[in-house]
Amino acid sequence: MTGWWDPAVWNLGVIIAAMAAAILWGIHRARRGSLLRVRRIAGVEAMADAVGRATELGRPVLYVAGVTDLDDVQTIASLGILGAVGRQTARHGCRLVMPTDRSLVLAAAREVLRESYTAAGRPDGYTPDMVTYISDDQFGFAARVDGIIARDRPAACFLQGAFYAESLLVAEAGAQAGAVQVAGTAMSHQLPFLVAACDHVLIGEEFFAAEAYLSGDRDKLGSLRGQDVVKDLALGLVLIGAALVTLAAATGAGWLAVARDGMLRLLQP
Amino acid sequence: MKRLVPRVITSFVGILLILTAFGARPGPDGGGVWPVRAFDYVDRNFSVWFNILAVFAFILGGASLLKSHVAKVAHRRPDWPYSAVTLVSFVGVLAIGMLKLGGPPGLQGEVTDPGAWFQIVFDAIYDPLLATLYALLAFFITSAAYRAFRLRSPQAAILLASAFIVLLGRTPLGTWLSDPVPPSLGFLRLDALSVWIMSVPNLAGQRAVLIGIAVGVTALTLRILAGRGEVDGGGA
């Protein structure tokens, strides 16, 4: 292999380039001031209500950014949501409690909250003690979070990030404490547990869209529109692919088989 | 400048790492044109650099933990005895591990060797606590399932029916209950229905979620590369 590029992944490059083009198109349209029709995400809208409820009850908001480190894209997405939640707690004067299980997340979360409180015009409301480090150990972290929920009785729990087996331990503790819970994750195996224990769940793509939705930023909302276009394209490809495979098998037409094989070459890793 | 520099670094490193995913791999002798060797070097070493950074950050985490719990104990704030237990555990295990108490002496001694106090702490305290916490999941799953499966809506009814079929279909009771079903109606057996639910509607849903996640990750990555992420200071 003497070239620069690996020819085995050309199709991946084409797919990612197409997705990126659609998202950049959405951002471009947003910048030109085109009317943005962004879908509602019930779970995201519930977060603002939950912060308001916590403020009225005089109880804290608990934010957990999952159990993975900064090298996980879900933690990055979660910190984006934290920024928006931080701006809301700053405006309402509501106490925010954020235990972390990674030192790098601790440092990043403090920086995000400091900027959020400053952006909300309440720099004095931010204290580094809002974010505390607990333990890198998954269950040690979950035990401490359960302890915080039992003692502080937060009125709202936001479980946003990558979770593993501890997801239900934390979510169920929040449910039993009577907190309004909004979870969000891309860990498909933990989704059933979070759906069972939480009031709202941001499932997969919604979780990554939440930060853009909450920020109200034009570019981010534009990228959200681009995301919707990509999803529509994916749905179209699924339908076309299913039709091609079915018709090629049913009719035995050569051109359908060629089209089916071409599509498989494009989409298969 | 305070925002620009992190954004530039993030964008540069992000684009570089994306390019490495498409770069050719060097031959068995490690040879190839220089971009190939450069991509391979970046691919192999960036995760190591992240781990080095994380080690330094652990000092920050440890300091945060000590600071918050020492303050709680010193000012006798509510629930301070829990903080005292945390401090004693943290400092005690740290000392046992760093001094390698009980095990073979010297720098070459492993904290996991038989007889090492660190290993004893792990086996006699940590493992039982872990098992206890993990066992709580059984009760939590029951209470969460009870809430989720209450018949409050048509969707909840479908959920309940599906869960009931999958649960029965994977137990000997389900097989026994399906015995009277004639072979011509074998697709109605509880074990067959259970397999169908998991491999058709459930799998379709999982794949839809995965496609959505891929789209979401791409959009988030583009936002970060464009300097519109929250962590690089582009959000607030």
Side-chain angles (χ1 to χ4, degrees):
Chain A
M1 196 174 293
T2 53
W4 288 28
W5 308 106
D6 185 356
V9 290
W10 70 270
N11 54 348
L12 186 64
V14 169
I15 292 168
I16 289 180
M19 289 164 78
I23 291 161
L24 291 173
W25 169 83
I27 295 173
H28 175 69
R29 294 241 315 165
R31 283 186 176 172
R32 287 183 61 187
S34 299
L35 187 64
L36 280 171
R37 186 174 49 82
V38 181
R39 66 189 184 282
R40 288 180 66 241
I41 304 174
V44 174
E45 292 181 352
M47 293 175 90
D49 296 339
V51 173
R53 178 177 180 264
T55 310
E56 283 171 8
L57 293 173
R59 280 156 55 183
V61 168
L62 177 80
Y63 192 98
V64 181
V67 294
T68 50
D69 215 331
L70 270 186
D71 57 346
D72 189 318
V73 70
Q74 293 187 65
T75 309
I76 304 288
S78 180
L79 290 176
I81 299 170
L82 171 70
V85 170
R87 284 191 288 276
Q88 287 172 358
T89 55
R91 282 189 210 110
H92 287 82
C94 181
R95 188 160 74 93
L96 178 70
V97 178
M98 183 182 177
T100 64
D101 77 327
R102 304 285 164 166
S103 306
L104 281 176
V105 177
L106 170 92
R110 282 180 172 174
E111 187 62 21
V112 166
L113 282 178
R114 193 179 60 77
E115 290 211 13
S116 293
Y117 274 69
T118 305
R122 290 285 312 278
D124 53 315
Y126 165 77
T127 57
D129 294 344
M130 292 166 135
V131 191
T132 50
Y133 171 78
I134 305 298
S135 165
D136 273 41
D137 181 76
Q138 175 190 15
F139 287 105
F141 176 71
R144 173 73 174 137
V145 173
D146 282 4
I148 290 171
I149 291 171
R151 286 188 286 275
D152 288 6
R153 313 290 294 180
C157 293
F158 299 137
L159 313 176
Q160 305 287 332
F163 292 94
Y164 292 91
E166 76 294 332
S167 66
L168 190 60
L169 286 175
V170 176
E172 190 58 17
Q176 289 179 3
V180 172
Q181 299 203 101
V182 184
T185 189
M187 305 297 280
S188 56
H189 289 98
Q190 299 307 318
L191 282 171
F193 299 117
L194 294 173
V195 167
C198 298
D199 300 282
H200 299 274
V201 181
L202 305 173
I203 297 174
E205 185 260 349
E206 288 180 336
F207 166 60
F208 292 106
E211 179 233 347
Y213 192 95
L214 283 165
S215 71
D217 181 274
R218 206 171 47 178
D219 284 5
K220 292 180 181 179
L221 289 174
S223 75
L224 214 55
R225 183 78 190 100
Q227 269 180 255
D228 288 349
V229 171
V230 175
K231 277 200 305 182
D232 292 344
L233 286 173
L235 182 62
L237 283 173
V238 168
L239 292 174
I240 293 169
L244 277 177
V245 170
T246 307
L247 291 174
T251 64
W255 69 273
L256 281 173
V258 170
R260 177 200 62 197
D261 294 344
M263 196 161 178
L264 284 173
R265 263 201 303 278
L266 175 66
L267 297 176
Q268 278 186 338
Chain B
M1 196 57 123
K2 192 184 166 192
R3 287 177 176 225
L4 182 68
V5 172
R7 282 181 191 181
V8 169
I9 292 172
T10 305
S11 299
F12 175 73
V13 174
I15 291 168
L16 192 62
L17 286 174
I18 289 172
L19 290 177
T20 61
F22 296 99
R25 298 292 152 205
D29 57 345
V33 293
W34 71 264
V36 171
R37 293 199 306 274
F39 286 154
D40 182 58
Y41 178 82
V42 167
D43 196 31
R44 281 187 291 110
N45 288 287
F46 263 51
S47 60
V48 177
W49 295 349
F50 176 84
N51 290 340
I52 293 169
L53 274 176
V55 167
F56 284 106
F58 179 73
I59 297 168
L60 182 71
S64 161
L65 187 137
L66 281 174
K67 187 185 162 201
S68 64
H69 288 284
V70 165
K72 213 166 177 180
V73 172
H75 297 102
R76 295 288 194 273
R77 288 185 193 145
D79 303 317
W80 67 268
Y82 296 119
S83 293
V85 172
T86 304
L87 284 173
V88 170
S89 306
F90 179 78
V91 176
V93 176
L94 190 69
I96 288 170
M98 291 190 76
L99 300 174
K100 296 183 178 174
L101 298 178
L107 288 173
Q108 299 299 318
E110 286 288 338
V111 290
T112 52
D113 283 335
W117 289 12
F118 192 85
Q119 189 61 37
I120 292 171
V121 167
F122 202 85
D123 293 338
I125 300 174
Y126 177 82
D127 264 359
L129 284 173
L130 189 68
T132 306
L133 202 61
Y134 202 73
L136 282 175
L137 270 177
F139 301 100
F140 280 8
I141 284 175
T142 310
S143 62
Y146 170 73
R147 275 200 311 279
F149 295 157
R150 273 181 299 183
L151 275 168
R152 288 177 301 185
S153 62
Q155 291 94 331
I158 294 170
L159 191 68
L160 176 64
S162 304
F164 193 68
I165 292 169
V166 171
L167 199 67
L168 275 180
R170 293 181 171 214
T171 56
L173 179 64
T175 310
W176 181 74
L177 286 173
S178 301
D179 279 346
V181 177
S184 58
L185 296 174
F187 64 91
L188 288 177
R189 289 179 59 87
L190 284 169
D191 45 358
L193 282 173
S194 167
V195 170
W196 182 81
I197 287 172
M198 293 305 291
S199 58
V200 181
N202 175 60
L203 191 62
Q206 293 267 2
R207 284 182 178 166
V209 169
L210 285 177
I211 290 171
I213 288 169
V215 175
V217 168
T218 307
L220 178 68
T221 307
L222 281 173
R223 286 200 295 268
I224 291 170
L225 293 181
R228 303 300 301 166
E230 195 81 34
V231 182
D232 59 13

